[in-house]
Amino acid sequence: MKQITTVRSSPAPHWVGDGFPVRTVISPRGGKALGPFVLMDFAGPFEFEPSDSPRGVETHPHKGFETVTIIFEGEVEHRDSVGNSGKIGPGDVQWMTAASGILHEEMHSKAFTAQGGVLEMAQIWVNLPAKNKTADPGYQSLLASDIPKVKLPDDLGSVGIVAGDYLGTKGAARTFTPINMWTVTIESAGEFVLPIPEGQLGGVYVREGAVRFGDEVVHATEIAEFPQNGAGLPAACDGPTSLIVLSGEPIDEPMVAHGPFVMNTSDEIREAILEFQSGRFGSIPARAHP
Ligand code: MN
């Protein structure tokens, strides 16, 4: 069995653009990642007033990894330099492969901006091994109805399998390396085991409620980290709880994360900056007038 090694609280929120008040739960600072997970920002829940001006993050680049956006409340629109665009709402996930380089914008949807309301979402950065950092950029829109759900035993709740495998049920996303990304909803008190395989490390983020691992209680906005050794992570909840489970095989390569780029070396970061400055990542068409 796996045992958790560390419980960390997430720092106070800061703003990303004018649309995303985020706590940085996993940070690449100091060259450290959590296995293949370079960064995790959790936004909100935060109530926005109705507005007639767009909110979010305007055009910016990424290279060398994938961004995964999970929406719990609110609605976000994406457009990128490959020509992909999409709108995702509660339960939907957007899996964007930046790989060799992309420009995108991440904005609140027009309707959500106009009506106002609560935004709650997570963005996770999944690293790519060197051999996949040169892959073409891509985009997977995973709507809630595309994401397989499996019931936990004893009617405890359910697991949404965004990526990977949960007891034989395959996740919705294509991934480059072995990764599990599950959203776990617990409805009543009970014990369960998260079937995380030997060889994968990662963390359990508590979105709502609390979860116990042995004697350790992990509360909302905290993340519990677990190591590669052991298979299966025993857990217990005393009531309604919402978790994000991330596990993966570590990518055994040097990592240099700088702003929106995650590469293997500082030279490659400098190249990425030059490529961005010289327009190599293309462009996004101007937004149509409303
Ligand atoms: Mn971005």
Side-chain angles (χ1 to χ4, degrees):
M1 290 288 181
K2 284 189 193 294
Q3 291 191 331
I4 60 164
T5 50
T6 312
V7 176
R8 288 188 297 103
S9 55
S10 44
H14 65 275
W15 283 88
V16 175
D18 60 359
F20 306 103
V22 306
R23 297 173 182 275
T24 298
V25 179
I26 298 170
S27 165
R29 268 190 211 105
K32 282 194 66 178
L34 186 59
F37 306 102
V38 177
L39 175 141
M40 172 171 162
D41 274 349
F42 196 93
F46 185 92
E47 172 121 31
F48 285 88
E49 296 295 320
S51 171
D52 52 13
S53 61
R55 292 189 185 109
V57 189
E58 301 281 354
T59 303
H60 60 280
H62 289 295
K63 182 176 182 178
F65 65 104
E66 303 184 283
T67 66
V68 182
T69 306
I70 305 174
I71 307 288
F72 295 98
E73 280 195 84
E75 202 172 56
V76 170
E77 278 176 5
H78 161 97
R79 297 192 316 140
D80 66 39
S81 52
V82 181
N84 292 310
S85 62
K87 184 158 62 178
I88 50 171
D92 300 338
V93 174
Q94 180 208 87
W95 196 293
M96 186 188 79
T97 303
S100 60
I102 198 168
L103 300 180
H104 77 159
E105 59 175 33
E106 300 162 273
M107 306 297 292
H108 295 189
S109 75
K110 265 185 205 146
F112 180 75
T113 304
Q115 288 158 21
V118 174
L119 182 77
E120 186 181 8
M121 55 173 265
Q123 185 167 94
I124 296 140
W125 291 12
V126 178
N127 201 2
L128 292 172
K131 67 172 193 280
N132 299 127
K133 287 185 188 296
T134 52
D136 288 337
Y139 177 83
Q140 301 174 66
S141 178
L142 312 172
L143 300 180
S145 54
D146 301 327
I147 297 169
K149 305 262 184 322
V150 172
K151 279 201 182 306
L152 287 165
D154 306 326
D155 277 335
L156 278 187
S158 63
V159 179
I161 306 141
V162 177
D165 177 287
Y166 181 90
L167 302 176
T169 300
K170 300 286 177 211
R174 295 184 305 277
T175 68
F176 286 85
T177 64
I179 279 171
N180 286 303
M181 191 177 293
W182 304 329
T183 53
V184 180
T185 306
I186 306 292
E187 279 146 20
S188 51
E191 297 181 0
F192 54 99
V193 175
L194 295 167
I196 300 156
E198 171 88 34
Q200 294 197 0
L201 62 85
V204 178
Y205 178 74
V206 182
R207 177 182 157 240
E208 288 172 351
V211 61
R212 275 184 288 118
F213 300 103
D215 295 336
E216 192 95 52
V217 182
V218 187
H219 301 93
T221 77
E222 295 177 335
I223 185 169
E225 298 180 359
F226 52 82
Q228 278 181 275
N229 61 297
L233 178 64
C237 290
D238 294 328
T241 298
S242 170
L243 308 171
I244 300 173
V245 179
L246 305 174
S247 75
E249 292 180 6
I251 295 172
D252 192 17
E253 296 176 6
M255 180 190 80
V256 181
H258 180 85
F261 307 123
V262 182
M263 303 302 294
N264 294 106
T265 66
S266 303
D267 279 351
E268 289 172 350
I269 294 288
R270 278 189 285 275
E271 279 169 34
I273 293 168
L274 288 173
E275 285 171 6
F276 167 56
Q277 289 171 343
S278 65
R280 280 269 295 281
F281 299 159
S283 62
I284 303 179
R287 249 196 305 274
H289 286 285

